[in-house]
Amino acid sequence: VILSSQEDLAFQQVTLAVYTSPGGLYDYVLGDAIAREGWTERGTAQVYASSNLAPEPLPEDTFDPILIPTGTTMGIFVLIKDPLFNHKILTLEGTEPLLPLSTDFSNGDLLVRQGIAQIFEPCLDWGATVVDYSLNPRPRRFYGSIVYEAGAPSAPTMLPTISSLPSASLVPSHKPSMSFAPTPAPMVNPATTSFPIATGGDIIELVTPEGEEEESGSDAHGVMFDITAEVACEIYSVELGQMNPEPMNINVYTRRGSHYHVYDDISQWELIAVYTNYSSVDSDNLISIPAQFVGTGWTRAFYIAVVETYGQTRPIWNALLAGENYRDGVWAQDDVLTLYEGLKFNGITADRPMGDGVTSGASMLEGPGGTSFNMKAATIRYRPVATITPSVSPSISQLPTLSRGPTVGPSFSKVPSQQPSVSFKPSEQPSVQPSTSLKPSQSPSAIPSNVPSISVQPSENPSISASPSSQPSVKPSVKPSLSPSESPSISFQPSDTPSMSPSDPPSVSKKPSLAPSISVMPTMERFSMTSSSSGTPSAAYGVMFEVVAARAMTIKTFWIATYSTPSQYTVHLYTKPDSWDGAENNPSAWVKLGEQVFSAPNQNVIKLSSQLFDSVTLKAQEKQSFYIAIEDHFFMVRSESMGSASIANEGSIFTGVRKYPYDDLFSTGNQRGFRFQGEVLFEYGIDPPSVSPSMTPSFVPTVSYAPTAPLTTHPTSKPSISVSPTKFITLAPTPRTESTLQIKFTSRIRISGWSLPETAAEIATVVTVVAPSLAALAAAELNSSQRGEVHIVSINGVAVDGDPVSFTGLLRSRRLQEEEILDIEYEVILISLCENDSCDNAREAADALYETVTESMREKMENGEFADALEETINDIDVALDLAIVSGEFGDLTLTILALLSIWYPTWTDGSYCSNDGGEPLYMKRNAAAWLYDTRDGCCSRYYSYDYAACMGDDNLGPIGYYPAWDGQVSKCRNDTNVPDYMRYNPSNWVYDDIDSCCERYYPWDKDNCIVESGGDQSATYTSKWFVNHADEICEMDCPEDVNVTCGGAVESWKDTFDSAEDCCENRLSWVSASYCESQSKKETPTGSSKFYVNYEYERCVQDCDSSANATCGGIVTQSHVVLHDSAEACCSDKLGWIPTEQCQAESTNTATTYAGSNQWYVNHKLGKCVQDCTGSSPCGGLAFAWDERFTSSGDCCTNKLWWVDTSDCILT
């Protein structure tokens, strides 16, 4: 800064202070000074004026560094504390207007806004705002330099960070890193990361249409849209075409996948940016967000929501245009991104960012699937990135990595920080250690501390909470809470029973899964069936209809076409299996799914909320009836002939019966020949196995309910599962002693006549057709003791992971290029029984099997038989291709002896644990060392340690020691047979030999009650030592309260104990006078020290003794900060220096001296009364000062000096 002064004062030092305030410096109250509250002092220093008016640095060691996280604002106040106003800080003239604060200067890292001029007010020890003639703050600009370090690394965390995606490691870590101490410095790992790595690329802009020249834009409070990436990229910002210049609050949300059918469910979205008092003028309509990764082929939805407008009705102003096709219309597109048509929102708030679905929320020009909206003349900025594919399992580093954001949980320090941390929001967890303050608190705390704070000086007010804490305490509560937690609790031990339904957000695991998550079908998304009809529209108060599912589905909700809307009405939804026919007037035949109340919705479509109605699951070809009824309002149906239906690929909606009018929901007013008009919203379900064979191979093996009628030409790869026992009893158990050998070899086949796949669906089609065909080709020469499997590795160099996935698309019809050849790499696995247990001829058997299979496969590839089989399979899915095998190559074999078949593997199914039935999945066989075990104990210990006894089949296991009950009712340790399996499996970590150790480990905050509840003797736990009682500000003994008056009961586990009351008072109640604390703690009457201390109210010194003892006693000193003096003279000299020493001593010792006074009357302004100029009891008010006017009588004093006070109250009595 540049500090100037008068020339003759240039070498005088002056105090300079620096303050900061998160969020900015001005509170937008014109003419008002910057409020002192909310500012933090960062240091003071003694400085000189600048000798040549050049900027001079402030002392680095004096001021704390000011941390400004990315995207945040920090107010800075530099103040010269010169009461004589000889020193000043040079600044530059600011620009008008001040509000909003305009930009002063900026670079690539910082943006500095202009500020306001302040002048030092000595009485306030703060600044006062300099204003102009209109009482507006005078804007000033900073003149000097700001020295900073960019990108300073975060301090290392105590616990490993948790990433939402696994890092790109080729193999999973052996075990997680469990460090109990932080690393000495942050670790920057140049190896693979937990998220795709951005390796370059320039910022690219995708500009949306501007519309026709005469086309005006549409207003909104929010806009929601989808973006699909052809190339992996990161999206950084959205610049809208036009916005209202008034302040507003904006939230930005995103989610992986489309917004379709979750546009009204905020729980499915992630909040990524929050703008408070956003100004489109200062920001040029730019909304920046943290970089959002969109992988190749991914879709990511965004929602920009103005949740507070401060009264403005058009925040997004003429910035949207109407689209034409909401479902799949493209709004803007380049080589990398495709932006689709979306939705606009009106009437949203911070509490309801997606509206209520009735009076506010998504807005369309037509019904579902109708005209949409998206941004007009907007710019989306992004950067293509190269990525590394994430690994299958998370990589756990032995050292913490450099964090790019805040940790998921709080960091736990073993000692308190030497400097306070500056946070921009309150802590989510209480501190583990008390804070060490150098000053007392200015006001009481709103939330009690977990442990008392240790202050060098006492607080001016006690810490008293007006409400319960908003965050959980470090120690669990003694009693259960009366209401559920606002956030999910994180448990460090498994639940006793599984949850009834899946969590809305995914659960966060503290360590990697022991097995991959095997899904039977793709992630569920909602789809819809529209009831189409050419019949005549008609009104109804209710409609009953049938839905027949073409495939398994779960019906979530309905959208209903309606007419003009009344003020309020209620929609009821019922269902029943099979047909409604015969149950039109029978309410007991129906099950109610829910109801919803609507209040004056301005729309022609009633959208039932899926959260208010139970869902219904239908199997393929299953019929289910539904009844939709509305009280006090009619809706739209269409007349159609009975038996007809609206048919879609997923199912059919049949014509039924309407009710119009009715007196109750199940009245007799039934009219047949009317069909429901609207949409059925559903998710795909899981089909049961079909009765007849399917046209194409299944993605997962089906479960058979009976043996296949004709014999198969070769054995199946897995045994069939029967729902009933075998009719005949076998004579002996199935032999399980054979050894097996496994050979693997990688092969390649090149096929012409097939267009190269470009999408995930096309790749899945190739895998679905080719893999089973190759498996059948390889199995043609196998006997009953042999089996084989085929796994597609890559297609034209593109890796294919896992088994074939489900898909909805087929091969696209397009003109083939002459050079297009399908190059498929695949792996063949053959398993065969050995001739004997030792398998001593394994190599010869493996070579013979390899030659037999490969020769057969090569022959059928060369003679065209395999190409014909492929064409026949493809024809079954309505695609005609002319294929030819260009070449077939077979790699060298790899031989593995699998030993005996008593191989145990995890089944991953409910009610089942480890099995040795030979049904282990392919991925386990491919990596047997990592997945399979020779013993049941090894399998159960690895995968089911939390339920070890059930896995091993053990039932009646005895007690093994004391373990925590954890039943939520009482603090108790048990010693019985009900030990949880995860404790029984690992007793050294959970179980104790005695009650005291168990209670100390698991219930330290309630140890005494735990010992009693567990059947132990509490008396043995008392120590007779002293501990602090902060409520009464005394120390008490750790002994039963009925023993003596100094006993305070059992000491809490987190409190320290001391050998004496003196030690306890000194260390835990340092603000209380030591003698007073000891007397109170020992229940003795305090006598005081008889030393002198100052009484500013009466401007004299008094003695430390009971005020009733004599006239010089001022009461017992209770606070340690009160300074005691050996004599009245020393007290007067040190504390009352402006009063003549002899006079002060006379008043303090209540003795007559030459300064005994004139006995005349004068006004004591502190008391507000007329008093006599003398010492002693009333009406003496002490000796008058030389400047006090004296009167001969009290009446003259009252009449001349206190004429407005009643005579009876004027004189000191």
Side-chain angles (χ1 to χ4, degrees):
V1 296
I2 301 177
L3 178 64
S4 69
S5 69
Q6 300 179 28
E7 185 175 355
D8 58 336
L9 301 174
F11 295 97
Q12 292 186 3
Q13 285 188 327
V14 67
T15 300
L16 183 144
V18 176
Y19 304 85
T20 60
S21 177
L25 61 89
Y26 198 65
D27 59 0
Y28 293 96
V29 179
L30 290 178
D32 191 309
I34 301 177
R36 178 66 177 86
E37 295 76 17
W39 288 82
T40 301
E41 182 177 293
R42 308 311 294 267
T44 60
Q46 298 297 311
V47 297
Y48 294 95
S50 304
S51 59
N52 56 358
L53 295 185
E56 295 195 6
L58 302 181
E60 291 185 2
D61 296 335
T62 306
F63 298 89
D64 296 333
I66 302 172
L67 174 65
I68 308 178
T70 301
T72 64
T73 302
M74 179 71 72
I76 300 178
F77 183 19
V78 183
L79 177 64
I80 288 292
K81 295 187 176 182
D82 183 1
L84 301 178
F85 308 111
N86 292 324
H87 294 72
K88 301 176 179 63
I89 298 175
L90 293 189
T91 59
L92 300 176
E93 187 70 24
T95 58
E96 299 291 348
L98 178 62
L99 302 178
L101 301 176
S102 59
T103 300
D104 183 6
F105 62 92
S106 65
N107 59 13
D109 297 326
L110 297 178
L111 182 148
V112 181
R113 303 186 187 278
Q114 70 176 6
I116 57 178
Q118 294 276 301
I119 188 171
F120 180 61
E121 282 284 354
C123 295
L124 301 175
D125 193 32
W126 194 243
T129 303
V130 180
V131 298
D132 58 18
Y133 65 94
S134 301
L135 299 182
N136 292 322
R138 294 185 60 183
R140 304 294 296 181
R141 293 185 294 124
F142 175 74
Y143 188 32
S145 302
I146 297 176
V147 183
Y148 67 95
E149 295 178 354
S154 304
T157 56
M158 292 294 298
L159 298 175
T161 55
I162 298 175
S163 171
S164 59
L165 289 177
S167 60
S169 173
L170 298 179
V171 294
S173 301
H174 179 62
K175 60 181 180 180
S177 168
M178 298 298 292
S179 174
F180 293 97
T183 52
M187 175 66 181
V188 181
N189 192 343
T192 55
T193 63
S194 62
F195 198 79
I197 301 173
T199 59
D202 298 327
I203 297 296
I204 301 177
E205 296 182 349
L206 175 63
V207 181
T208 65
E210 297 184 5
E212 300 296 333
E213 204 171 305
E214 67 280 358
E215 186 176 4
S216 62
S218 178
D219 305 328
H221 286 74
V223 59
M224 184 182 292
F225 51 87
D226 289 351
I227 291 178
T228 298
E230 295 295 328
V231 177
C233 65
E234 290 179 342
I235 298 177
Y236 297 101
S237 65
V238 177
E239 181 181 329
L240 296 176
Q242 188 171 355
M243 299 184 72
N244 196 299
E246 301 297 330
M248 64 185 78
N249 296 347
I250 299 177
N251 290 355
V252 183
Y253 303 85
T254 188
R255 73 181 299 268
R256 170 85 182 273
S258 174
H259 73 273
Y260 191 61
H261 290 311
V262 296
Y263 68 90
D264 58 349
D265 188 356
I266 193 62
S267 66
Q268 302 298 314
W269 295 77
E270 175 189 2
L271 179 63
I272 58 172
V274 176
Y275 287 86
T276 303
N277 292 329
Y278 173 88
S279 171
S280 62
V281 176
D282 290 345
S283 304
D284 295 328
N285 301 334
L286 180 66
I287 300 175
S288 298
I289 58 176
Q292 298 299 306
F293 179 77
V294 187
T296 302
W298 287 15
T299 296
R300 180 171 288 277
F302 291 89
Y303 177 36
I304 301 174
V306 180
V307 297
E308 177 59 66
T309 64
Y310 301 107
Q312 298 297 322
T313 58
R314 305 166 66 188
I316 301 179
W317 187 12
N318 293 338
L320 304 180
L321 292 174
E324 298 179 354
N325 188 348
Y326 172 50
R327 290 293 178 87
D328 50 16
V330 175
W331 188 254
Q333 189 176 34
D334 60 15
D335 293 337
V336 177
L337 294 185
T338 300
L339 171 66
Y340 294 93
E341 299 182 13
L343 295 172
K344 76 172 185 177
F345 287 74
N346 288 312
I348 58 179
T349 64
D351 295 334
R352 296 182 299 182
M354 293 182 174
D356 58 10
V358 181
T359 60
S360 61
S363 175
M364 306 184 75
L365 294 182
E366 298 176 8
T371 304
S372 57
F373 292 90
N374 214 318
M375 299 173 288
K376 172 185 178 184
T379 302
I380 299 174
R381 292 180 175 86
Y382 67 92
R383 180 167 64 94
V385 296
T387 61
I388 298 174
T389 305
S391 60
V392 176
S393 298
S395 170
I396 307 298
S397 173
Q398 299 301 319
L399 294 175
T401 57
L402 179 63
S403 174
R404 299 183 181 226
T407 55
V408 175
S411 64
F412 293 93
S413 174
K414 299 297 182 184
V415 294
S417 305
Q418 295 181 357
Q419 297 290 339
S421 64
V422 180
S423 174
F424 296 94
K425 60 179 181 179
S427 303
E428 296 181 356
Q429 298 287 346
S431 61
V432 176
Q433 294 290 336
S435 62
T436 305
S437 173
L438 298 179
K439 296 180 180 179
S441 304
Q442 298 295 323
S443 58
S445 168
I447 301 175
S449 306
N450 294 317
V451 292
S453 62
I454 303 173
S455 174
V456 177
Q457 299 181 26
S459 304
E460 295 182 1
N461 293 295
S463 172
I464 301 174
S465 173
S467 60
S469 305
S470 60
Q471 296 294 333
S473 62
V474 174
K475 304 289 192 300
S477 305
V478 176
K479 297 181 180 180
S481 62
L482 299 178
S483 59
S485 306
E486 296 178 359
S487 301
S489 60
I490 300 175
S491 174
F492 292 93
Q493 56 271 339
S495 305
D496 292 334
T497 56
S499 60
M500 298 303 295
S501 59
S503 306
D504 289 334
S507 60
V508 180
S509 174
K510 297 294 181 182
K511 56 184 178 180
S513 304
L514 295 177
S517 172
I518 308 297
S519 175
V520 182
M521 58 175 297
T523 304
M524 291 185 177
E525 289 200 23
R526 291 186 185 175
F527 302 91
S528 65
M529 289 190 299
T530 302
S531 178
S532 60
S533 175
S534 59
T536 303
S538 184
Y541 281 85
V543 61
M544 295 179 178
F545 58 96
E546 299 168 359
V547 174
V548 177
R551 59 158 298 165
M553 65 172 61
T554 298
I555 296 178
K556 306 296 290 186
T557 186
F558 295 85
W559 288 4
I560 308 166
T562 185
Y563 291 99
S564 58
T565 55
S567 58
Q568 179 171 310
Y569 55 87
T570 303
V571 179
H572 302 266
L573 180 60
Y574 295 84
T575 189
K576 69 178 297 293
D578 204 44
S579 175
W580 51 265
D581 195 7
E584 300 94 316
N585 305 317
N586 182 12
S588 62
W590 296 81
V591 175
K592 188 168 185 178
L593 300 178
E595 63 181 52
Q596 184 175 358
V597 178
F598 290 86
S599 299
N602 186 19
Q603 56 189 33
N604 292 327
V605 175
I606 301 173
K607 303 175 181 179
L608 302 186
S609 172
S610 61
Q611 300 176 0
L612 299 179
F613 296 89
D614 296 333
S615 58
V616 178
T617 298
L618 280 68
K619 297 179 181 178
Q621 308 304 321
E622 186 175 6
K623 180 191 298 182
Q624 188 79 11
S625 292
F626 293 89
Y627 175 33
I628 299 174
I630 300 182
E631 289 184 75
D632 304 323
H633 183 50
F634 52 87
F635 58 96
M636 182 183 296
V637 296
R638 288 183 180 267
S639 59
E640 287 288 353
S641 59
M642 292 299 295
S644 63
S646 174
I647 301 175
N649 291 333
E650 297 84 358
S652 303
I653 304 173
F654 282 84
T655 303
V657 59
R658 77 166 178 175
K659 289 182 172 289
Y660 182 86
Y662 58 64
D663 298 326
D664 58 70
L665 298 183
F666 290 92
S667 66
T668 57
N670 304 317
Q671 299 179 7
R672 294 175 177 256
F674 291 91
R675 187 184 303 166
F676 163 72
Q677 183 68 21
E679 289 197 39
V680 180
L681 277 68
F682 64 92
E683 295 173 348
Y684 286 142
I686 303 175
D687 289 316
S690 56
V691 178
S692 58
S694 59
M695 298 298 295
T696 58
S698 303
F699 300 135
V700 294
T702 58
V703 181
S704 174
Y705 290 88
T708 309
L711 295 177
T712 57
T713 58
H714 55 275
T716 57
S717 59
K718 292 186 178 180
S720 61
I721 301 173
S722 174
V723 296
S724 59
T726 309
K727 295 181 179 179
F728 302 100
I729 300 175
T730 58
L731 299 178
T734 304
R736 299 290 294 164
T737 59
E738 297 90 343
S739 297
T740 61
L741 59 86
Q742 173 186 278
I743 66 172
K744 293 192 296 186
F745 55 91
T746 302
S747 306
R748 172 169 290 174
I749 184 172
R750 304 175 76 228
I751 306 173
S752 65
W754 201 332
S755 58
L756 299 183
E758 297 181 353
T759 66
E762 293 177 356
I763 292 175
T765 303
V766 174
V767 173
T768 303
V769 172
V770 175
S773 301
L774 286 171
L777 185 64
E781 299 298 326
L782 300 182
N783 58 39
S784 59
S785 64
Q786 298 168 336
R787 64 179 188 272
E789 296 173 349
V790 170
H791 172 67
I792 303 295
V793 178
S794 67
I795 300 176
N796 288 78
V798 179
V800 177
D801 295 327
D803 294 329
V805 296
S806 59
F807 61 98
T808 56
L810 297 176
L811 293 176
R812 298 184 293 119
S813 298
R814 61 180 177 87
R815 187 182 183 87
L816 289 174
Q817 303 297 323
E818 293 181 0
E819 66 276 8
E820 289 188 351
I821 294 178
L822 209 58
D823 189 347
I824 301 175
E825 182 181 358
Y826 61 97
E827 183 180 57
V828 179
I829 301 176
L830 300 176
I831 298 176
S832 175
L833 291 177
C834 295
E835 294 182 1
N836 52 55
D837 291 345
S838 61
C839 215
D840 50 13
N841 65 337
R843 172 53 64 178
E844 293 81 359
D847 291 340
L849 180 60
Y850 173 79
E851 291 297 330
T852 300
V853 171
T854 54
E855 285 300 325
S856 174
M857 294 179 68
R858 182 180 289 109
E859 178 182 355
K860 294 180 180 179
M861 289 180 183
E862 293 175 352
N863 63 19
E865 184 176 341
F866 180 65
D868 295 340
L870 282 179
E871 291 178 4
E872 183 178 352
T873 303
I874 296 172
N875 289 337
D876 290 339
I877 56 175
D878 298 328
V879 176
L881 296 176
D882 184 13
L883 303 180
I885 307 302
V886 178
S887 64
E889 303 170 2
F890 303 99
D892 296 334
L893 68 87
T894 300
L895 171 62
T896 303
I897 305 297
L898 297 184
L900 298 180
L901 287 179
S902 56
I903 295 175
W904 295 85
Y905 70 95
T907 60
W908 310 132
T909 57
D910 292 337
S912 180
Y913 298 93
C914 289
S915 177
N916 66 338
D917 59 4
E920 58 271 17
L922 173 64
Y923 67 89
M924 294 185 185
K925 296 175 184 176
R926 290 170 56 84
N927 191 10
W931 291 101
L932 306 179
Y933 285 84
D934 294 333
T935 64
R936 187 176 193 174
D937 173 77
C939 179
C940 291
S941 298
R942 168 71 189 281
Y943 301 111
Y944 299 102
S945 59
Y946 58 88
D947 204 6
Y948 178 80
C951 180
M952 292 295 294
D954 297 333
D955 295 326
N956 298 320
L957 299 177
I960 58 176
Y962 289 93
Y963 67 93
W966 279 335
D967 57 4
Q969 303 297 322
V970 295
S971 302
K972 184 178 181 180
C973 287
R974 290 176 174 166
N975 184 15
D976 53 27
T977 60
N978 299 321
V979 187
D981 286 319
Y982 64 90
M983 295 185 187
R984 185 181 294 278
Y985 172 70
N986 194 9
S988 61
N989 285 345
W990 296 102
V991 182
Y992 289 85
D993 295 332
D994 57 89
I995 295 175
D996 185 79
S997 298
C998 180
C999 291
E1000 175 66 27
R1001 169 65 173 81
Y1002 298 110
Y1003 304 99
W1005 67 92
D1006 197 23
K1007 179 179 177 181
D1008 294 334
N1009 287 333
C1010 173
I1011 291 175
V1012 174
E1013 292 291 339
S1014 305
D1017 181 10
Q1018 183 183 6
S1019 62
T1021 65
Y1022 292 108
T1023 64
S1024 296
K1025 292 191 175 185
W1026 295 81
F1027 64 91
V1028 68
N1029 178 340
H1030 282 104
D1032 297 332
E1033 290 191 337
I1034 62 173
C1035 288
E1036 297 175 322
M1037 289 186 69
D1038 177 24
C1039 51
E1041 295 183 22
D1042 56 358
V1043 172
N1044 64 56
V1045 294
T1046 62
C1047 292
V1051 61
E1052 290 89 346
S1053 62
W1054 59 87
K1055 288 187 177 182
D1056 294 329
T1057 57
F1058 301 89
D1059 293 333
S1060 64
E1062 292 80 357
D1063 289 343
C1064 177
C1065 289
E1066 179 182 355
N1067 288 280
R1068 290 293 177 265
L1069 295 171
S1070 58
W1071 62 90
V1072 181
S1073 169
S1075 60
Y1076 181 77
C1077 177
E1078 294 166 20
S1079 299
Q1080 291 293 94
S1081 300
K1082 296 178 180 179
K1083 308 302 179 184
E1084 299 172 350
T1085 302
T1087 59
S1089 64
S1090 296
K1091 293 185 177 183
F1092 285 87
Y1093 64 93
V1094 68
N1095 184 322
Y1096 288 111
E1097 181 179 359
Y1098 292 101
E1099 291 189 335
R1100 66 184 183 185
C1101 290
V1102 295
Q1103 284 186 290
D1104 175 22
C1105 49
D1106 193 300
S1107 57
S1108 62
N1110 60 61
T1112 61
C1113 291
I1116 301 295
V1117 174
T1118 62
Q1119 301 295 310
S1120 61
H1121 65 86
V1122 177
V1123 180
L1124 297 174
H1125 301 81
D1126 293 332
S1127 65
E1129 179 183 4
C1131 176
C1132 290
S1133 175
D1134 184 40
K1135 298 298 183 182
L1136 298 171
W1138 63 90
I1139 301 176
T1141 303
E1142 293 83 354
Q1143 177 181 337
C1144 177
Q1145 289 184 59
E1147 294 183 355
S1148 301
T1149 58
N1150 197 28
T1151 59
T1153 68
T1154 56
Y1155 288 84
S1158 64
N1159 287 325
Q1160 290 183 315
W1161 296 81
Y1162 71 96
V1163 175
N1164 185 320
H1165 291 285
K1166 287 190 176 181
L1167 301 177
K1169 295 180 183 292
C1170 284
V1171 299
Q1172 272 188 299
D1173 179 20
C1174 58
T1175 60
S1177 58
S1178 302
C1180 290
L1183 301 180
F1185 290 103
W1187 56 81
D1188 287 326
E1189 184 178 358
R1190 298 176 179 86
F1191 299 90
T1192 57
S1193 67
S1194 60
D1196 291 343
C1197 177
C1198 291
T1199 301
N1200 287 278
K1201 290 297 184 181
L1202 299 173
W1203 49 268
W1204 64 89
V1205 179
D1206 188 85
T1207 303
S1208 60
D1209 294 330
C1210 174
I1211 302 171
L1212 179 64
T1213 58

